[in-house]
């Protein structure tokens, strides 16, 4: 690909001018500040280049339900009513439809400025729970959607065995998720076929409700490398169930009885005590925050101030995909802290930009959570790069760190002009290169789903 040249770029040691970046085979090979344009360069005249974050938590198929669960039911509404609609979708979705939905989701993520995604993939079987001829069929569909859109993929096939912490058998829509450990490991062995060169295969015990501690430990032994994600401490009800069953709160239990480290990402971690918050921060695990979904589901507020003060790593994910918006995830995270604490600029150090602080943390934390060699514009790293339009009316008065404050707090993801994922130039001038075809396929698939709901 041609070298990139931009008047401003955020490099590991700070902002630099007239930066020329060369890329070969998906990786950055050179970063030269104070450079000159060479014939054939792709000159991004009114852009600043940034390392592009990854989206560390997605259930792609749920995008098809967006907007359908915002109507109040007869009683107090909760997460559990949302799950009921999800199970109706699970009764009908076909492999083709799942691939089509994931395709549009990945286009939207790339257009928002994400270069990669960790797909927390728990939908494995046909409706009713019968495995497909290839038990990893639906994993292959996720890989195909990533391939078609060029998004970097960390595929996390999910081990989901039980319907509750008391080992309730799976029922209804959940039957599509279910595997015991042996069946899961057979599926996992096949799941990574066809991943792109920059793709990664990890694994994910769904939660302490759906997997037993013994199975989680056995999974860790059977899959010794790659990212390991788990939903933990999202809802008060879940914490109570797990505590009653295991005798400890979920994050404490995972720290003490499973052992957490840098390969781990705990999705949500919303309901932690102060002690759990400090312990998780010290463990090297990443907190996988999904502020838009957590707001939508009424989960509660992550203790970001305490967690950051303790040096904890975090990244952001779009989870239910009710809305795919990079800047808004970070804004929602900061605003939740402000509303709780009745304070401003909570998650930054004194004198520091909140936007820059949040962005840097999300880029680094998400790269770690995906096991992706990205997260900085430096030679050797994957070329995950986003160009934002510094001449946008909302950003034109801002520079350097304030550009990130502007993107996150004052603008939206329309400031994203171009995105490269491992050197693949997938978003040009604000639009994914295959949007029309991917969107047409999505529309046809959704019409089919709606007719059968
Ligand atoms: Zn989730």
């Amino acid at each position: 690909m041609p070298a990139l040249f931009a008047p401003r770029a955020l490099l590991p040691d700070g902002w630099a001018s007239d930066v020329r970046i060369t890329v070969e085979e998906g990786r950055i090979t050179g970063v030269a500040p104070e450079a000159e344009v060479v014939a054939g360069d792709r000159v991004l005249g009114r852009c600043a280049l940034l390392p592009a974050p990854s989206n560390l938590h997605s259930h792609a198929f749920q995008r098809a339900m967006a907007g359908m669960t915002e109507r109040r039911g007869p009683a107090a509404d909760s997460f559990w009513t949302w799950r009921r609609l999800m199970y109706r979708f699970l009764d009908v979705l076909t492999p083709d439809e799942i691939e089509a939905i994931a395709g549009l989701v990945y286009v939207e993520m790339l257009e928002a400025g994400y270069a990669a995604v960790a797909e927390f993939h728990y939908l494995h079987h046909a409706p009713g729970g019968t495995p497909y001829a290839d038990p990893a069929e639906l994993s292959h569909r996720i890989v195909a959607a990533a391939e078609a859109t060029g998004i970097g993929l960390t595929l996390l096939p999910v081990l989901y065995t039980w319907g509750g912490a008391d080992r309730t058998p799976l029922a209804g829509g959940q039957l599509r998720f279910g595997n015991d450990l042996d069946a899961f490991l057979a599926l996992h062995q096949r799941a990574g076929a066809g991943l792109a060169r920059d793709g990664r295969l990890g694994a994910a015990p769904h939660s302490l409700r759906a997997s037993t501690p013994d199975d989680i430990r056995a999974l860790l032994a059977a899959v010794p490398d790659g990212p390991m994600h788990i939903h933990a401490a999202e809802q008060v009800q879940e914490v109570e169930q797990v505590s009653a069953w295991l005798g400890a709160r979920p994050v404490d239990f995972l720290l003490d009885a499973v052992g957490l480290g840098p390969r781990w990402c705990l999705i949500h971690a919303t309901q932690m005590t102060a002690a759990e918050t400090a312990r998780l921060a010290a463990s090297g695990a990443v907190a996988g925050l999904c502020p838009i979904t957590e707001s939508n589901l009424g989960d509660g507020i992550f203790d970001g101030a305490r967690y950051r003060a303790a040096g904890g790593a975090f990244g952001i994910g779009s989870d239910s995909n009710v809305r795919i918006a990079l800047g808004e995830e970070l804004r929602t995270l900061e605003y939740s802290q402000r509303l709780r604490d009745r304070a401003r600029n909570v998650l930054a150090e004194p004198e520091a930009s909140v936007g820059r602080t949040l962005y840097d943390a999300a880029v680094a934390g998400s790269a770690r959570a995906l096991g992706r060699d990205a997260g900085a514009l430096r030679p050797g790293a994957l070329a995950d790069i986003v160009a934002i339009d510094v001449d946008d009316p909302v950003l034109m008065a801002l520079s350097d760190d304030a550009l990130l404050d502007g993107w996150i707090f004052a603008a939206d993801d329309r400031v994203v002009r171009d995105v490269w994922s491992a050197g693949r130039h997938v978003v040009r001038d604000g639009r994914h290169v295959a949007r029309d075809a991917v969107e047409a396929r999505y529309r046809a698939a959704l019409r089919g789903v709606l007719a059968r709901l």
Side-chain angles (χ1 to χ4, degrees):
M1 65 178 265
L4 309 180
F5 186 96
R8 209 73 179 143
L10 181 56
L11 304 185
D13 52 2
W15 290 94
S17 293
D18 296 331
V19 177
R20 186 167 185 272
I21 299 178
T22 50
V23 176
E24 281 173 34
E25 297 188 350
R27 289 187 181 267
I28 296 171
T29 53
V31 179
E34 312 293 341
E36 298 197 354
V37 177
V38 175
D41 286 358
R42 183 179 299 281
V43 178
L44 299 138
R46 48 181 232 183
C47 287
L49 297 180
L50 309 164
S54 299
N55 181 332
L56 59 60
H57 191 63
S58 162
H59 311 290
F61 77 90
Q62 294 180 12
R63 179 68 173 147
M65 300 161 44
M68 294 183 188
T69 60
E70 311 302 330
R71 183 183 172 86
R72 186 165 179 162
D77 231 314
S78 74
F79 176 72
W80 307 99
T81 54
W82 177 90
R83 289 214 326 185
R84 276 203 293 275
L85 180 72
M86 180 178 79
Y87 291 137
R88 275 176 56 206
F89 267 82
L90 292 174
D91 285 340
V92 302
L93 289 175
T94 67
D96 275 346
E97 288 161 353
I98 290 163
E99 183 180 336
I101 295 165
L104 184 70
V105 168
Y106 297 159
V107 161
E108 292 183 298
M109 288 179 186
L110 290 162
E111 288 180 346
Y114 295 111
V117 62
E119 181 68 27
F120 195 105
H121 175 65
Y122 58 79
L123 190 45
H124 299 304
H125 308 312
T130 310
Y132 291 102
D134 180 339
E137 171 71 28
L138 295 182
S139 291
H140 302 327
R141 299 305 188 123
I142 296 296
V143 171
E147 170 81 21
T149 58
I151 200 166
L153 176 65
T154 290
L155 179 65
L156 303 169
V158 173
L159 171 64
Y160 198 122
T161 311
W162 302 103
D166 55 354
R167 303 198 188 189
T168 311
L170 299 180
Q174 293 175 325
L175 293 168
R176 298 193 76 174
F177 316 156
N179 287 292
D180 63 20
L181 183 63
D182 287 345
F184 175 77
L185 292 175
L187 182 161
H188 187 268
Q189 260 195 340
R190 309 174 64 102
L195 273 172
R197 195 170 37 190
D198 59 302
R200 292 294 306 270
L201 179 66
H206 178 273
S207 61
L208 288 168
R209 287 179 286 121
S211 310
T212 66
D214 283 348
D215 280 354
I216 295 173
R217 285 186 284 258
L219 175 63
L220 278 169
V223 183
D225 300 310
M228 193 68 63
H229 291 210
I230 188 169
H231 290 121
E234 177 178 11
Q235 299 255 331
V236 172
Q237 183 179 350
E238 168 213 336
V239 173
E240 289 169 352
Q241 287 174 340
V242 169
S243 299
W245 188 49
L246 299 175
R249 298 172 58 85
V251 175
D252 272 339
F253 183 86
L254 287 167
L255 284 159
D256 293 330
V258 175
L260 300 179
R263 74 181 292 203
W264 278 93
C265 178
L266 264 60
I267 305 302
H268 304 303
T270 312
Q271 313 295 338
M272 293 195 291
T273 63
E276 283 177 306
T277 305
R279 295 185 69 202
L280 181 64
S283 73
V286 177
L289 309 180
C290 308
I292 293 175
T293 295
E294 289 155 9
S295 301
N296 185 269
L297 297 179
D299 286 347
I301 299 174
F302 178 76
D303 191 353
R306 191 185 308 270
Y307 186 72
R308 288 299 286 166
F314 74 84
I316 50 166
S318 56
D319 194 4
S320 70
N321 294 311
V322 63
R323 185 166 152 70
I324 296 168
L326 198 169
E328 187 175 322
E329 294 286 3
L330 295 171
R331 178 168 73 244
T332 304
L333 171 61
E334 168 68 20
Y335 279 178
S336 68
Q337 312 296 304
R338 294 187 189 188
L339 288 164
R340 179 195 59 211
D341 297 349
R342 297 182 218 172
R344 296 195 72 246
N345 302 332
V346 175
L347 291 176
E349 298 288 320
E351 310 292 332
S353 147
V354 178
R356 172 74 188 276
T357 301
L358 294 172
Y359 194 85
D360 279 356
V363 165
S366 63
R368 191 196 300 177
L370 268 73
R372 190 168 173 83
D373 185 13
L377 302 183
R378 60 168 169 78
L382 290 171
D384 287 359
I385 303 172
V386 57
I388 60 168
D389 178 7
V390 300
D391 199 38
D392 182 277
V394 183
L395 301 186
M396 59 182 282
L398 307 173
S399 61
D400 296 353
D401 289 355
L403 290 169
L404 291 165
D405 293 327
W407 176 6
I408 293 166
F409 293 103
D412 59 32
D413 299 337
R414 279 175 296 183
V415 301
V416 171
R417 302 310 304 168
D418 289 76
V419 176
W420 293 262
S421 171
R424 299 177 290 268
H425 190 184
V426 285
V427 175
R428 300 181 187 220
D429 241 5
R431 193 173 167 83
H432 190 277
V433 294
R435 178 176 255 284
D436 289 344
V438 171
E439 190 181 305
R441 188 174 172 194
Y442 175 86
R443 287 177 185 279
L446 193 62
R447 277 193 291 267
V449 172
L450 294 175
R452 301 195 315 282
L453 262 191

